[in-house]
Amino acid sequence: MLLEISKILANPINIIVLGWLGIYLFFVFFVFFYKYFQLSSWIKREEESFKSIVMSDVFPINSSLKECIETAEKVNTLTFDACIQAAKKRAKKGLAFLSIVASTSPFIGLFGTVIGILSAFKGMQSVTTINMIAPAIADALIATAVGILVAVPAYSFHQILASKIEDLIATLKMQRDMYLSK
């Protein structure tokens, strides 16, 4: 096993590609867990604020819309919409990174594979059998596999967080509608 790993890491391009993808994977998980817990607590706070609006006419202190509408001269639908858009912008920070990783990591892995295959063909002698070239090509395909391995959680996490952001925006809109209807 160690011999196989050392063969893969013998090519400096593989080290760069696998290192790059490893860094991507670390940050994908970091961004996901950070944003997931941040959005979960924010949604919980906004749901409590909504319940508070339902119970009374006073806008709750813990709502992220409170500060925004307090600074406005006139509170109406447009004011609330601007505040909700500002909250959406703040909530979406970090999602672009997940999207970029999901779309670029397979290409980074493919780049490593292409370089590995080129190296395998470069090392061919005049008479080569499949038994001689197949292990080199199999080693080269590891980069593509790792690229896909990084892309799948990045895409999945992006979708999960996008769904949570939609939940947050829906809760903020319910607060707006409930407050303006009173």
Side-chain angles (χ1 to χ4, degrees), residues 43-62:
I43 291 168
K44 184 178 179 183
R45 190 176 71 239
E46 296 303 339
E47 286 173 346
E48 290 169 358
S49 296
F50 175 70
K51 290 176 187 173
S52 180
I53 292 172
V54 170
M55 299 297 187
S56 69
D57 289 339
V58 179
F59 208 84
I61 295 171
N62 60 345

Side-chain angles (χ1 to χ4, degrees), residues 54-91:
V54 170
M55 299 297 187
S56 69
D57 289 339
V58 179
F59 208 84
I61 295 171
N62 60 345
S63 173
S64 58
L65 298 177
K66 174 83 171 167
E67 182 181 325
C68 185
I69 64 168
E70 283 180 341
T71 59
E73 287 182 26
K74 185 178 178 185
V75 178
N76 57 25
T77 306
L78 295 175
T79 308
F80 272 109
D81 287 345
C83 296
I84 291 170
Q85 286 302 317
K88 185 176 184 178
K89 183 178 177 183
R90 197 172 94 212

Side-chain angles (χ1 to χ4, degrees), residues 94-150:
L95 256 61
F97 173 75
L98 294 177
S99 180
I100 289 168
V101 170
S103 62
T104 60
S105 60
F107 293 113
I108 295 167
L110 186 59
F111 173 73
T113 296
V114 168
I115 297 299
I117 289 174
L118 288 174
S119 297
F121 286 137
K122 182 180 176 188
M124 283 181 18
Q125 310 303 329
S126 59
V127 177
T128 306
T129 65
I130 192 72
N131 293 338
M132 296 170 74
I133 195 77
I137 292 174
D139 290 345
L141 289 171
I142 289 172
T144 297
V146 172
I148 293 168
L149 182 73
V150 171

